[in-house]
Amino acid sequence: MDSDRGRTDTGASTTERDSLLRLLGGRASALDASLPPVAFGLGWVLSGESIAAAGISAIAVGAVIGVWRLVSGARPLAVLFSLLAVLLGSIIALRTGQAVDFYLIRLGSNAVSGLAWMISIAVRWPLLGLVVGTLLGQRTRWRRDPDLLRAYSRASWIWVGQYVTRLAVFVPLWMLEAVVPLSIAQVVLTWPLVVLCVVVSWWVLRRTLPPDHPGIRHARRPAGAVR
């Protein structure tokens, strides 16, 4: 009986972990973020280091992805922001005359995101809880559950680590003006890192929640709370 329950618990954990990955964007979002920078790097190399050609390549790939995402039912605003980031990166590179500056938008967004996640933990509104709670239709009910609040806070540090890891790689490559390695790093530190981040943060969530907790989909009121 215990072994059967163990297999059931493991299966449920795996299902919920996969659901968390889908809730946080999944493979599609990670690919959306990595393909335009790769197109920029390839365009730059194949065109004999032409920033204009590289920018056009990145924008074209971004536009194709945007159309595909819209057809697939993605939110228009999210698609617009993604395409705008590619466009701004291309303009910055053209203005400065440095191809590597195409990635400045990515460096800035990772720095701001990492800081935002740290602040959210400090003020006890961890972003992981806000994102997952909103997508699950819980709004902020999870904050009334001390166990969930603590678990989301601890797991959110894994996401801070994701942004810090990227910056630790991206910034030195940018300073070295290493366009091709920076393009490759965009792929390595996007989808694989997101998957690793989800797996580890889910493990932290599960380890932090007490054994009798019903899970992230079911926020509990603290003992003695007024209904």
Side-chain angles (χ1 to χ4, degrees):
M1 293 293 290
D2 291 340
S3 60
D4 290 342
R5 195 179 79 176
R7 286 194 295 270
T8 301
D9 290 345
T10 301
S13 299
T14 302
T15 300
E16 290 184 345
R17 185 191 64 202
D18 293 341
S19 297
L20 182 61
L21 178 59
R22 289 193 296 271
L23 287 173
L24 293 171
R27 182 180 304 174
S29 296
L31 290 176
D32 292 357
S34 60
L35 289 181
V38 170
F40 183 90
L42 284 174
W44 185 73
V45 172
L46 296 176
S47 65
E49 301 186 357
S50 167
I51 296 176
I56 291 172
S57 299
I59 293 170
V61 170
V64 170
I65 292 174
V67 171
W68 176 70
R69 293 285 285 153
L70 286 173
V71 171
S72 301
R75 290 171 293 182
L77 193 59
V79 173
L80 179 62
F81 278 133
S82 296
L83 188 57
L84 184 61
V86 176
L87 181 61
L88 286 176
S90 301
I91 292 174
I92 291 172
L94 283 170
R95 294 277 296 186
T96 64
Q98 299 292 326
V100 75
D101 286 347
F102 170 82
Y103 303 97
L104 278 176
I105 296 292
R106 299 304 178 99
L107 268 65
S109 65
N110 277 278
V112 171
S113 296
L115 182 60
W117 279 76
M118 284 190 287
I119 292 174
S120 75
I121 297 169
V123 299
R124 295 177 60 80
W125 282 88
L127 278 175
L128 185 60
L130 285 172
V131 172
V132 176
T134 298
L135 293 173
L136 291 178
Q138 297 174 335
R139 297 185 182 179
T140 60
R141 289 196 299 273
W142 56 271
R143 287 198 79 247
R144 296 194 291 269
D145 184 334
D147 294 324
L148 269 180
L149 177 58
R150 181 170 56 254
Y152 279 131
S153 295
R154 290 183 181 178
S156 289
W157 280 112
I158 306 303
W159 293 84
V160 173
Q162 172 189 213
Y163 298 114
V164 171
T165 299
R166 287 188 184 134
L167 289 172
V169 176
F170 292 167
V171 172
L173 291 176
W174 174 78
M175 294 177 68
L176 292 171
E177 299 184 6
V179 177
V180 174
L182 196 47
S183 299
I184 295 172
Q186 297 287 326
V187 178
V188 176
L189 296 180
T190 303
W191 169 240
L193 187 58
V194 169
V195 173
L196 178 62
C197 193
V198 168
V199 171
V200 176
S201 61
W202 177 245
W203 180 82
V204 171
L205 276 171
R206 295 286 297 181
R207 292 284 294 181
T208 304
L209 289 175
D212 63 337
H213 198 281
I216 62 173
R217 295 179 181 274
H218 307 283
R220 299 191 303 191
R221 290 178 177 272
V226 179
R227 291 185 176 274

